[in-house]
């Protein structure tokens, strides 16, 4: 199920450059998520990374290029992250793993998730929006496929698949609006709790 992963040989210089790129994208994600695109400058990103603006421009042409890598990359990698972690198990368990893997991704890349969510509705660049929608549709299509497989296997009762998919995705996608890392459950635990509520309902057994 997982994609084959190979790691090319790298020189120390290439490794340093990759680490620097990761740092820049991580700090930029936090700034875009907290201050917005317009409220973030190249100077802000350079200061957050502890580097000069000239070094920042060595890696990226402008702020828009960084923003595109953060927001498009997050949408694309969410799909791959979840897909690669689906187990060879029963359909219902695969639905659960879809949800908890999404929670894991949110926990690891929370700032990029928030920046990407904002860009999803506000980015005027049509080419980027089209690509973003493509990956969103693949991610949504994946949960619908898993739900249908669970119905076909008799593990779920016959339900409206698109409606059920939207219920699951809505519970996960809105987590960023209220979640605080310093209190309560971790995102994968929240996703697992959502899964129990969806699978078992709220009515106590009689």
């Amino acid at each position: 199920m997982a994609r084959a992963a190979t790691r090319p040989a790298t020189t120390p210089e290439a490794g340093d450059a990759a680490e620097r790129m990761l740092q820049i994208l991580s700090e930029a994600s936090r700034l875009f998520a907290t201050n917005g695109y317009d409220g973030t400058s190249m100077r802000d990103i350079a200061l957050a990374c502890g580097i000069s603006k000239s070094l920042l421009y060595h890696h990226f042409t402008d702020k828009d290029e960084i923003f595109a890598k953060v927001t498009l990359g997050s949408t694309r990698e969410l799909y791959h992250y979840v897909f690669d972690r689906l187990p060879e198990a029963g359909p219902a368990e695969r639905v659960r793993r879809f949800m908890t893997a999404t929670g894991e991704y949110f926990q690891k890349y929370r700032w990029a998730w928030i920046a990407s969510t904002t860009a999803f509705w506000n980015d005027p660049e049509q080419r980027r929006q089209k690509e973003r929608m493509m990956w969103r549709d693949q991610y949504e299509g994946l949960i619908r496929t898993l739900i249908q497989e669970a119905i076909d296997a008799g593990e779920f009762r016959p339900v409206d698949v698109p409606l059920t998919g939207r219920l699951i995705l809505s519970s996960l996608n809105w987590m960023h609006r209220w979640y605080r890392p310093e209190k309560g459950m971790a995102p994968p635990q929240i996703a697992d709790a959502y899964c129990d509520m969806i699978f078992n309902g709220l009515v106590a057994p009689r």
Side-chain angles (χ1 to χ4, degrees):
M1 177 61 71
R3 293 175 296 163
T6 58
R7 185 179 297 276
T10 59
T11 64
E13 292 80 5
D16 290 344
E19 286 295 320
R20 178 65 72 195
M21 291 280 282
L22 183 61
Q23 180 200 21
I24 292 170
L25 293 174
S26 177
E27 292 296 339
S29 296
R30 179 180 61 82
L31 291 170
F32 288 138
T34 55
N35 301 333
Y37 178 84
D38 291 335
T40 301
S41 67
M42 290 291 273
R43 181 177 181 275
D44 294 331
I45 297 171
L47 285 173
C49 295
I51 61 176
S52 65
K53 282 179 64 177
S54 61
L55 181 56
L56 181 59
Y57 278 110
H58 173 74
H59 291 290
F60 295 99
T61 303
D62 53 25
K63 181 176 70 170
D64 193 62
E65 183 185 1
I66 301 176
F67 184 72
K69 284 189 177 294
V70 166
T71 57
L72 282 178
S74 179
T75 307
R76 180 182 64 247
E77 289 307 313
L78 170 62
Y79 170 81
H80 287 308
Y81 186 95
V82 172
F83 181 86
D84 287 351
R85 284 158 180 78
L86 294 178
E88 295 293 341
E93 181 57 32
R94 284 159 64 79
V95 171
R96 181 182 294 275
R97 187 60 184 128
F98 175 99
M99 296 181 68
T100 57
T102 297
E104 290 171 8
Y105 184 87
F106 172 76
Q107 185 175 29
K108 287 175 178 286
Y109 307 108
R110 176 168 163 251
W111 294 125
W113 176 298
I114 295 172
S116 180
T117 299
T118 302
F120 192 89
W121 302 109
N122 299 318
D123 192 345
E125 175 57 57
Q126 290 300 312
R127 180 189 60 79
R128 289 201 299 244
Q129 190 69 349
K130 186 175 181 179
E131 183 177 350
R132 194 175 285 117
M133 292 289 286
M134 179 193 73
W135 286 110
R136 191 282 308 269
D137 290 347
Q138 288 202 46
Y139 175 68
E140 186 171 348
L142 179 57
I143 187 58
R144 291 186 182 187
T145 297
L146 297 175
I147 293 166
Q148 186 62 59
E149 288 175 353
I151 293 171
D152 295 341
E155 296 185 15
F156 286 1
R157 64 182 174 85
V159 293
D160 184 305
V161 172
L163 190 64
T164 306
R166 284 193 288 271
L167 171 63
I168 290 173
L169 295 182
S170 294
S171 70
L172 299 170
N173 289 341
W174 282 93
M175 194 158 38
H176 76 277
R177 298 295 297 270
W178 57 265
Y179 173 74
R180 296 294 179 269
E182 65 275 7
K183 61 177 66 175
M185 295 185 291
Q189 294 173 313
I190 294 169
D192 197 51
Y194 280 156
C195 190
D196 283 336
M197 293 176 195
I198 293 170
F199 280 19
N200 302 319
L202 299 177
V203 177
R206 296 181 183 275

